[in-house]
Amino acid sequence: KKTLELNELDNVLKFFESKDKTTNSLKIVENQVKNEFKHLSKNSFYLDTNISTYKPNSPDMYAGNCKVNQARMFLSHLGFLSLENRDKLYPLTMNSSLFNLLRQLDQLQERTCIRVGILYVGKNQNEDDWFGNEGGNLDYQEFLTTLGWGIDLVKHNGFTGTLDVTGSMTGRVAPYWSDYNTEILFQVCTLMPNNSSYPDHAHKRKQSIHSHCVVVWLEDTSTFQPLLIWKRLRHSALIITITPLENGLYKINLYGKSPDLVIGPLVSGMVVRKEILGQMIRATAIHSWEIYENPDHTSPTQPRLDMIEKIYQSCKQLDNLEQFYTQQFTELPQDSVGPLQFSALKRSATKKNDKQLSPQPLKRVMVSDDDESSKKRRKKKKSRRKNEDGEQSTTTIASQRSSV
């Protein structure tokens, strides 16, 4: 047998030592895996943790610096901040006249607004009884439901005609119909309560017949005369009468002051079903409004365009290039007053004025340059006089001492 030398023995020992180190490192890794597995199993491997993402809440565009950022981004996206489009954009002066004009613009109608009067005439009734009716029979009430949907005048934000929006004088409910460019309000006489202050029912008569189109539900045609309505009107109007027949249909008659006018789709002598009665009444009312109220076919958007042009011409602020960009890229102060704050301040000021008069600021008197120079001259003269008086007093005292 060959004996191992010292160098060879050292190599064998190093080999075993290296092998032990690898086994130790593997044990460390295994222990680490076991510990991590215990920790994860103890916490259900974190599978019950909510890792979903949420859309961040957008900042208030009307608060803080975001007000300026939103306006600046909007203008830049449209290209109005470029020098080429500088003459197409002008800032408006933020004052009370601008806010009043904007309030007037909001009050202008953006759609064609039509009001139609509805009357109920029972059997053997005279003219005074027409406007005193309340309710009506079931057939008449079903007809009212075909005209449109009932609205609460106190809460309604659309067209309310000439009815009282408080609901005290003309009631709170009225049929209403609208589409993308038309609003129709039916001012029904039977839905208005009687008032003891008006024994002749003048408040109901004014609201129900003073329109370009009046629809009359007739239970008996023998006592009705269109002249009784026309004599109370100062303008031309179309009268549509609806008479229920025994076979469940309804006979239509149209009355107008000028027989040459052709109005449709309803015509005199037509007999229609209840299902299409409301739709035909609305279409005929719109056509009669175009003839009597809007013969020039003016769009309701034209007054709004005129008001916008008025705002542009009266409140346009002419600034140079530096002032324009300074306003666009400068933060608004926290105490800046907008339209909402201005209206609130105005209401509070009017309330205070009702109780007591607010103190008026003193008028500032502008002093010209000539007045200032004259004042300086007067001051100099006064100072000279004081100096002369002082010199005279010293001379008299010196003379008295010398004489003594």
Side-chain angles (χ1 to χ4, degrees), residues 80-134:
F80 285 124
L81 292 182
S82 61
L83 295 176
E84 292 80 5
N85 297 324
R86 174 64 186 89
D87 57 343
K88 299 179 182 179
L89 182 68
Y90 292 94
L92 300 178
T93 305
M94 301 289 287
N95 51 18
S96 59
S97 61
L98 172 63
F99 301 146
N100 292 330
L101 290 175
L102 291 176
R103 194 175 294 108
Q104 295 177 14
L105 177 63
D106 292 337
Q107 293 175 356
L108 292 178
Q109 302 166 354
E110 69 276 5
R111 291 184 286 182
T112 300
C113 296
I114 302 172
R115 52 191 176 94
V116 179
I118 305 293
L119 279 178
Y120 176 80
V121 178
K123 294 182 179 180
N124 301 323
Q125 285 188 343
N126 55 20
E127 184 183 0
D128 296 333
D129 298 333
W130 296 355
F131 304 101
N133 289 325
E134 289 184 343

Side-chain angles (χ1 to χ4, degrees), residues 134 167-172 189-195 201 203-204:
E134 289 184 343
S168 60
M169 185 66 67
T170 59
R172 296 189 56 166
C189 184
T190 55
L191 295 179
M192 304 177 190
N194 294 328
N195 194 337
H201 312 292
H203 65 294
K204 299 174 65 175

